[in-house]
Amino acid sequence: MAADPTYRPRIGLTTYWQDASWGVWNSKAAIVPGKYVTGVAGAGGTPILLPPVGTDDTVLELLDGLIVVGGVDVDPANYGAAAHPLTAAQPERDTHDLRLTSAALEMGLPLFAICRGAQILNVALGGSLNQHVPEVLPESNYQPAPGVFGTVGFTTEKGTLARELLGTTAEAPCYHHQSLDRLGEGLVVTARAADGTIEVVECPTAAGWMLGVQFHPEENPDDARLFEGFVEAARKYRYEHQQESPA
């Protein structure tokens, strides 16, 4: 018997923790850009927000998948480096995201790590980051203007999840400030941009479905292939774990 195609997997999404406005109010809030939420819902999942307060990784036992979303830079202290003058981090968010990422990997929970999320994934596995892409690649244009997404084209590797979901080549919205440098343990590059920037990483030995992307697939709702692939993996995860549970 296959997984129930009508089941809507419960997908956790990490969030920002910062000042926000609603109505006449302005205060600290747990927020996430709406396109992540609609991306999950549109692919058939139920989004559940996980703010970086009161972190408890046992919450993952209630979920079918985890998305670590984009956002501010990862603190270089997490991989033993000094901060670049333009690095802007939120240590409390790093602690939360690293803990949930590590727990998801350990339990084989489907994990979709997007932009900052891919960087968190790399750091969680012992890797490092380039803190300011324009210094590494002066000719790059991954941030055309503040708040304006660029576009990155990339080529996937044969026999990978990236190739299965996206084909040989693809393009996606991007807003690279930092990027993956030294790879974390077990990670392999499965897609690169023409200038060599790592765009997708996977872990062939991981216990569950796992994909880290440097770009922002949520910003292109017309191409839902990655969200759909992830939600389907989460659906299968729930089915398999139900089968393993005693009657």
Side-chain angles (χ1 to χ4, degrees), residues 112 114-115 172-173 213-221 223-224 226-227:
F112 189 12
I114 298 175
C115 194
V213 301
Q214 175 69 50
F215 49 86
H216 282 275
E218 80 285 356
E219 289 295 324
N220 183 8
D223 184 355
L226 295 184
F227 278 91

Side-chain angles (χ1 to χ4, degrees), residues 154-157 161-170 225:
F154 51 90
T155 302
T156 63
E157 295 292 333
L161 183 57
R163 174 68 62 87
E164 176 185 337
L165 293 173
L166 297 176
T168 304
T169 62
R225 290 176 292 177

Side-chain angles (χ1 to χ4, degrees), residues 10 56-65 100 103-104 107 109 237-238 241:
R10 296 163 293 185
D56 177 4
D57 52 36
T58 65
V59 72
L60 299 183
E61 297 170 7
L62 306 175
L63 302 178
D64 305 316
L100 292 185
M107 65 190 290
L109 185 73
Y237 173 87
R238 177 52 50 194
H241 280 70

Side-chain angles (χ1 to χ4, degrees), residues 63-126:
L63 302 178
D64 305 316
L66 174 68
I67 296 180
V68 184
V69 306
V72 297
D73 301 329
V74 178
D75 190 337
N78 290 302
Y79 50 93
H84 185 280
L86 296 179
T87 295
Q90 293 178 337
E92 69 278 8
R93 191 174 168 198
D94 288 344
T95 300
H96 177 77
D97 290 3
L98 286 165
R99 184 170 167 182
L100 292 185
T101 296
S102 296
L105 290 170
E106 184 174 348
M107 65 190 290
L109 185 73
L111 174 64
F112 189 12
I114 298 175
C115 194
R116 165 191 159 84
Q119 296 159 15
I120 284 284
L121 170 64
N122 193 48
V123 171
L125 292 171

Side-chain angles (χ1 to χ4, degrees), residues 16-22 25-31 90:
Y16 294 63
W17 180 248
Q18 60 193 60
D19 289 340
S21 299
W22 59 96
W25 309 106
N26 188 302
S27 185
K28 191 78 74 176
I31 60 174
Q90 293 178 337

